[in-house]
Amino acid sequence: MEALNDFLATRSYIDGFVFSQADVEIFQSIQKPPLDQYFHVVRWYRHITAIWDCTQDDAKTCSVHTSKMKRSQPPWSPPTEVKQPELRLYNSLTRSKEIFRPQNGKNVLWYCCGPTVYDASHMGHARSYISFDILRRILMNYFKYDVFYCMNITDVDDKIIKRARQNHLFDKYREKNLAPTPLLQDIKAALKPFTVKLAETTDPDKKQMLERINHTVLSSLKILEDMIQQAFPKGEITQQAQVLLVEAKDILSDWLDVQFGSQVTDNTIFSKLPKYWEGEYHKDMDELNVLPADVLTRVSEYIPEIVQFVQQVIDNHYGYISNGSVYFDTVKFDSNEKHSYAKLVPEAVGDQQALHEGEGDLSISADRLSEKRSPNDFALWKASKPGEPSWDSPWGKGRPGWHIECSAMAGTILGESMDIHGGGFDLRFPHHDNELAQSEAYFENDHWVRYFLHTGHLTIAGCKMSKSLKNFITIKEALNANTSRQLRLAFLMHTWKDTLDYSSNTMESAIQYEKFLNEFFLNVKDILRTPTDFTGQFEKWEEKEVALNKRFYEKKAAVHRALCDNVDTRTVIEELRTLVSQCNTYIAAKKSNKELPNRMLLRTIATYLTEILKIFGAIEGEEPIGFPVRGDGQNLNLETTVMPYLKVLSDFREGVRQIAREKKVSEVLQLCDGLRDDILPELGVRFEDHEGLCTVVKLVDRETLLREREEKKKIEEAKIRKKEEATQKKRELEAVKLAKMKIPPSEMFRLEKEKYSKFDENGFPTHDTEGKELSKGQSKKLRKLYETQEKLYNEYVQTLQNGSTS
């Protein structure tokens, strides 16, 4: 048997084995299964038994079937297919969530309406561009689409023309340095048409804004008049005149524009303003970590393409020339069975206020409106008036209409159909509806845009935000109050298509969420810094690790479902919050048992969270975990550089504290606390001491640490105050009690002369102030009080006696 075992040691049965006649003969000679000590014989015996066919009693007639010589795999069937969620986007063209299917595989053509650059970018711009930046990053980096992103800059527009012209005229007026008296006369003259405008305004928000301007100017004007009448010093009068000039800028600018606007002929005046504000816009977007567009188009650079586009619309019989301008024929377009006007907001057709806003302030005069065949028609090309920039065209000197620019530039870059068009909610009608009409008229199709995405409104503390109403917060002002990451987190905490209220409460929620995540990242990084060899990183998983990992994968699935559901970042943020809370609970439970949390599991979760936040644009840099901590050098990773030294300092301090506790040297312990509480926070370093555990070292923003220190100081001061107040109250109560104890029971009721008139020999009252004898019930109640006071008095006397004895 031993020799057979050695012989069979070289056999392998993985790929099957054909047994020989010798195998059969030896097998038949073995009377019973071999002993376990002969491992290879046992294996051979079991294998041949599995394919042995014996249906008769005589073993000699049994045989080994060749069909069973090689064991085959059993049948396999795939698991039941679980339907996975598909990305759906809210499409304004259908007002519902639609499955997102680009026209060309994973390639996505996306056009976004950019800013009209005539003033500082505000939080309304941020609402659109941060939201679209988040959507764009998620499509590219999460869903792995190849996005080609095109955006325009509107640098030719009625607002720009009017603002540039007025700024130019006001600057010239200011250079005159008028004396206070003629300045007063001009402002009073400017107030007359302004007052008419105010009276005719019906929009309540705009009327409120105009009333505010009127009140400010009238108040400042009255002050200057009084100063002149009362013969104030010349310097003070001049100073007040400058104040009035600044406050009356809007009123004076309108007045000057009406008189001299048509005389402005220098076209460079109309290009300087948008060029400056475009530069400021790009700086703001960079500060907000908004990715630049793949292609940026400016109206002033695409005039030839716009002229060609307008001509093609005319050639397709959807445009008509009128007095040097070109208008789009909405009636003819809508009557064509292939086309439909106002796909986005059909109920808004005929809204003349919206249509006039779409045409621009300089294009709604009576003569201009009379040029249209229908009030719903809109300008493709506007004949320029004196005081407006102009370009050559087949129809004479003119400039583009507002809506045509996007159609011409997007069509030039993206072609006859795009996957996504984005813009603010307030652009749906007439701007985007007019874009759709003129583009589909140009390309003679009905699918210029497949998915129209509109970001929600932004309100300021519940109030409507509007640049024209002078009720807005610039992006720079917002960045002075909060970081770009905090602003982005605030946007992520809201769905992109709904109204977002920019308020202190909104930003406080974002700040607390950032702090919540940062503390988790810092804790995980501290755990990962715990010394171990390479194999020590892989710890055994117990029930807690298995449970946390299960929840982790549940949250990942929930995040995916939320992102597929119209990129619902609000739900994602809450799912991540729950996951971090579960991790914090796990870490706390481990530490309470003096156990080290499983570092690989926490690394995996923290890395996932970091990647999601990177996808959202909330984290920049290459750090695998958490928010980056950078030094003065842009490429310096401060955490990687200084953490080894801080760890050495922490370990040294812990050793010193241990010795100081053993030797009872309180002064050294105080120095160690001072290092933690006073010195290191100034350097942006936090030491967290935990009983029985190693000190946790964290790099935190210096301002945050100093703020925490002040808050801690306030809390400690409040505790001390509360303790002192409690002590003082206790003293007062004891003083009252002592004063009461000093009163003999025979005197206590005699002091209440307003209640009682007669007493017995022990000072107990018998009659009230009216001379009536007290009832038994009254006497019973008073007796209890008497006995209580007697007891207190006796305690006091006993205390005095004990004191004199001692």
Side-chain angles (χ1 to χ4, degrees), residues 7 79 304 311 384 424 470 513 612 700:
F7 174 76
Q311 185 60 58
S384 290
K470 300 186 182 296
Y513 189 82
I612 289 294
V700 185

Side-chain angles (χ1 to χ4, degrees), residues 594-640:
K594 302 295 189 290
E595 297 172 352
L596 187 66
N598 188 293
R599 68 185 73 207
M600 293 303 289
L601 176 57
L602 289 175
R603 183 202 297 272
T604 301
I605 295 173
T607 301
Y608 168 76
L609 289 166
T610 304
E611 285 302 316
I612 289 294
L613 291 169
K614 282 182 179 179
I615 288 170
F616 290 171
I619 292 181
E620 299 176 76
E622 301 303 318
E623 291 81 357
I625 293 177
F627 302 128
V629 182
R630 298 200 176 275
D632 294 333
Q634 199 163 1
N635 297 321
L636 175 65
N637 187 318
L638 188 62
E639 189 166 25
T640 303

Side-chain angles (χ1 to χ4, degrees), residues 459 461 486-487 489-491 493-494 500-512:
T459 57
Q486 289 164 355
L487 289 171
L489 287 173
F491 281 55
M493 295 168 83
H494 295 75
L500 185 153
D501 186 45
Y502 176 73
S503 64
S504 57
N505 288 339
T506 299
M507 294 315 304
E508 183 59 28
S509 297
I511 291 167
Q512 291 305 317

Side-chain angles (χ1 to χ4, degrees), residues 122-142:
H122 52 71
M123 285 302 292
H125 294 122
R127 173 58 171 142
S128 282
Y129 302 126
I130 291 178
S131 296
F132 283 133
D133 185 67
I134 292 168
L135 290 172
R136 178 186 175 192
R137 287 171 181 268
I138 290 171
L139 259 62
M140 290 193 304
N141 302 323
Y142 185 85

Side-chain angles (χ1 to χ4, degrees), residues 158 161 320 322-327 356 359-375 377-379 381-386 388-389 397-401:
D158 284 37
I161 295 167
Y320 59 89
S322 179
N323 200 24
S325 295
V326 181
Y327 293 94
H356 289 174
E359 292 296 81
D361 288 347
L362 303 178
S363 308
I364 54 173
S365 58
D367 58 327
R368 276 285 168 91
L369 294 177
S370 65
E371 296 172 353
K372 299 180 181 184
R373 293 176 182 173
S374 165
D377 294 350
F378 55 90
W381 184 264
K382 302 176 181 180
S384 290
K385 297 177 180 179
E388 297 178 0
K397 290 277 189 180
R399 56 189 177 87

Side-chain angles (χ1 to χ4, degrees), residues 343-355:
K343 287 182 175 181
L344 291 166
V345 195
E347 63 271 22
V349 173
D351 184 343
Q352 292 304 305
Q353 182 179 347
L355 289 166

